[in-house]
Amino acid sequence: MQPSRLFPFATIVAAATAIALTALPWMNLKSAGLDLSWNGLGIGDSAIADLDVAPEGRGWLIVAACAVAILAALISLMPAPSAAPLSRLANAIAAVATTIGAIVPVAVMIWPNWFYGDLETKLGAPNLADFAAPSKVILIPLTLVMLLTAVLCAYSSRLRTE
């Protein structure tokens, strides 16, 4: 395997990891005595599917950024020499997209109501952030993985081809 192929594969793994972290519960109401939880995509567990309440799916922004990074990595793996300029451009765009995507979990930790949306109104629970804070155990690693993906894309955009 060529050393330059390592970075596209690492980008794919990092982006897939970020998507997996987005699918984990970002918020739960166990501290309020309710067995309800939602992931970053605004999808709850099967017990709450009938309630028709969910936070905003801000994790879709992360999934979109990761999809751009995976597409850029796949372009980087193309063997055609004519794909090299497109690869550099795609990786530069992916680096910007994943950097913006890394802002999403940080914004959710700082402004939880941005993620909750109208969930407080639907549940009739004022100050939802006081007893159901977003999961920093998931959001901090997600931020780091998104930044790693951005670095891998940025480095891949700088690789010179023979």
Side-chain angles (χ1 to χ4, degrees):
M1 183 185 302
Q2 299 172 355
S4 64
R5 293 189 174 266
L6 173 68
F7 293 101
F9 284 118
T11 300
I12 292 169
V13 170
T17 302
I19 292 171
L21 286 170
T22 303
L24 292 175
W26 283 18
M27 160 200 169
N28 67 54
L29 299 176
K30 289 188 188 342
S31 62
L34 301 171
D35 191 22
L36 305 175
S37 64
W38 291 273
N39 64 18
L41 307 174
I43 301 170
D45 55 17
S46 61
I48 58 173
D50 297 333
L51 293 179
D52 195 33
V53 294
E56 301 293 327
R58 303 300 184 194
W60 288 108
L61 299 170
I62 293 169
V63 172
C66 290
V68 171
I70 290 170
L71 287 173
L74 291 174
I75 292 170
S76 297
L77 291 171
M78 292 174 64
S82 60
L86 179 60
S87 170
R88 287 192 291 274
L89 175 64
N91 277 294
I93 292 169
V96 172
T98 52
T99 301
I100 292 170
I103 295 171
V104 172
V106 174
V108 169
M109 287 186 284
I110 295 172
W111 301 289
N113 287 331
W114 182 64
F115 174 64
Y116 296 154
D118 63 348
L119 186 63
E120 290 178 339
T121 307
K122 288 182 178 179
L123 290 176
N127 300 325
L128 190 58
D130 291 345
F131 61 89
S135 175
K136 290 182 179 163
V137 173
I138 293 170
L139 294 175
I140 291 173
L142 176 57
T143 304
L144 296 175
V145 170
M146 288 299 291
L147 290 173
L148 172 65
T149 307
V151 168
L152 289 168
C153 290
Y155 186 77
S156 293
S157 72
R158 305 275 300 160
L159 286 178
R160 295 183 186 238
T161 57
E162 292 85 43

